[in-house]
Amino acid sequence: MKLFYHPIYSQLDLPAHHRFPISKYQQLFDMLCAHPELKSGFTISCAEPISVSTLELAHDADYVHQFITGTLADKAQKRIGFCHSDALVERTLQSVGNTLGAAQAALKDGAAMNLAGGYHHAFSNYGSGFCIFNDAITAARYLYQAGLIDNALIIDLDVHQGDGSAAIAERDDAITTLSLHGERNFPRIKQSSDYDFALPLHCDDRVFLETLTQALKLTQRLHRPDIIFYNAGADVHNDDELGTLSLSLAGVGARDAQVLTHAKHHQIPICTMLGGGYQRNVEQLVKVHWQLVEQFHQCFILDS
């Protein structure tokens, strides 16, 4: 199975005390390298950076141009949460390109993972919440335009609603959006996904997993997607400072196992993305993201 990664994921020079845990990607990859029994099951891969023409399948051409050329207004940059730099442009194009690469690999091999991605707060004409371009929507649109799929399902299990994904795909019959998220979390103004499950404050493992079970059954029965894009945010964990849910470490692992097993059982290719996670203790945050790597390895490599 292919795992897409690039060192630039953690090479963005951010101000001291910036809220985004930029080092988590490198630390997660280092943890994988420290477990050769897991790493040997993956082919470490890197796709081409996403092209402007592909970005424009999901985004306004002026917005794409302004971001790449560094001419976005200060207000727009503040809404994203990052100031313009050449490194930010390079990192963004690479990470979105790797989600597309993972989606293409998933169609071929059944599953693939991008060790970044999940940029679900990016709208067609602006970025928000550390998300610049919406990687899942962009990749889904590319696959559809290429005649490789008829429909895609985005399963968004980040604690924050996938508002950008919902808005871009609102009138797109080829993309179905499913979001389980904290009802009292960012964004303040929610968009309308095809399926929204707003979870109460301090929702625990049992309620979350039972809700997920019903959501997966519903979307499979009604849509039978050709590919799943899975946003596996770690910010559902109880210790996440920007989350409002109370999943345990084991609960996060059970969530990931449930989604991956669902895709495998129904023989649906799945492109998995890392998603959010904002514990200031990055070592502990990486342990939450690590659940995804372990479950992916168990489901698609050990049990294949």
Side-chain angles (χ1 to χ4, degrees):
M1 292 293 163
K2 288 186 176 181
L3 184 148
F4 286 77
Y5 174 77
H6 194 290
I8 201 171
Y9 289 173
S10 285
Q11 291 175 355
L12 194 60
D13 187 18
L14 297 178
H17 309 299
H18 194 282
R19 198 63 191 81
F20 191 79
I22 195 69
S23 66
K24 71 177 185 177
Y25 305 97
Q26 181 68 54
Q27 291 190 35
L28 184 60
F29 186 73
D30 289 345
M31 181 176 284
L32 178 62
C33 293
H35 290 77
E37 73 283 4
L38 268 71
K39 186 173 183 289
S40 63
F42 292 101
T43 300
I44 308 302
S45 304
C46 189
E48 291 294 318
I50 203 75
S51 69
V52 168
S53 61
T54 301
L55 284 173
E56 289 177 357
L57 295 175
H59 298 280
D60 179 79
D62 287 342
Y63 170 58
V64 174
H65 175 76
Q66 289 169 15
F67 171 74
I68 291 175
T69 59
T71 56
L72 276 179
D74 290 345
K75 183 178 180 180
Q77 294 184 53
K78 185 175 181 180
R79 188 170 193 169
I80 290 170
F82 298 129
C83 293
H84 173 81
S85 68
D86 291 344
L88 177 62
V89 173
E90 183 180 356
R91 179 186 185 275
T92 300
L93 299 182
Q94 184 61 68
S95 57
V96 177
N98 274 353
T99 292
L100 175 56
Q104 292 169 315
L107 290 180
K108 179 182 177 183
D109 301 327
M113 182 190 304
N114 182 10
L115 218 59
Y119 305 130
H120 60 167
H121 297 311
F123 286 68
S124 62
N125 59 347
Y126 65 89
S128 176
F130 307 131
C131 301
I132 297 161
F133 297 126
N134 197 302
D135 56 330
I137 297 285
T138 299
R141 288 259 176 93
Y142 179 91
L143 298 180
Y144 180 80
Q145 293 286 339
L148 298 174
I149 64 168
D150 290 323
N151 56 2
L153 169 64
I154 297 176
I155 299 177
D156 194 328
L157 303 187
D158 192 279
V159 76
H160 307 106
Q161 191 213 30
D163 55 341
S165 301
I168 298 175
E170 183 178 10
R171 295 178 177 84
D172 190 335
D173 293 337
I175 301 176
T176 301
T177 51
L178 163 65
S179 180
L180 274 66
H181 54 267
E183 65 180 349
R184 298 168 75 174
N185 244 125
F186 175 89
R188 182 177 61 85
I189 299 175
K190 305 294 193 289
Q191 302 295 318
S192 296
S193 308
D194 292 299
Y195 302 95
D196 279 309
F197 294 84
L199 299 167
L201 194 68
H202 304 309
C203 171
D204 60 14
D205 294 354
R206 181 187 62 81
V207 173
F208 188 99
L209 295 173
E210 288 177 354
T211 304
L212 177 59
T213 296
Q214 297 306 313
L216 293 176
K217 288 180 178 178
L218 176 65
T219 53
Q220 177 60 26
R221 177 169 56 85
L222 295 180
H223 299 283
R224 300 186 181 277
D226 296 320
I227 189 171
I228 288 170
F229 289 87
Y230 173 35
N231 183 359
D235 42 16
V236 295
H237 187 264
N238 183 58
D239 292 334
D240 199 281
E241 286 92 343
L242 298 188
T244 57
L245 304 184
S246 296
L247 271 68
S248 67
L249 194 62
V252 176
R255 174 203 68 170
D256 294 338
Q258 189 170 338
V259 175
L260 298 174
T261 301
H262 171 84
K264 184 177 180 180
H265 174 75
H266 292 285
Q267 298 182 312
I268 307 168
I270 184 167
C271 170
T272 301
M273 304 157 293
L274 204 63
Y278 302 98
Q279 292 187 47
R280 291 190 184 275
N281 186 331
V282 179
E283 182 178 345
Q284 294 302 314
L285 170 59
V286 168
K287 290 180 180 178
V288 183
H289 282 302
W290 180 247
Q291 305 287 300
L292 177 65
V293 177
E294 288 187 314
Q295 294 299 334
F296 189 96
H297 185 269
Q298 178 68 44
C299 185
F300 292 109
I301 298 172
L302 290 184
D303 294 345
S304 61

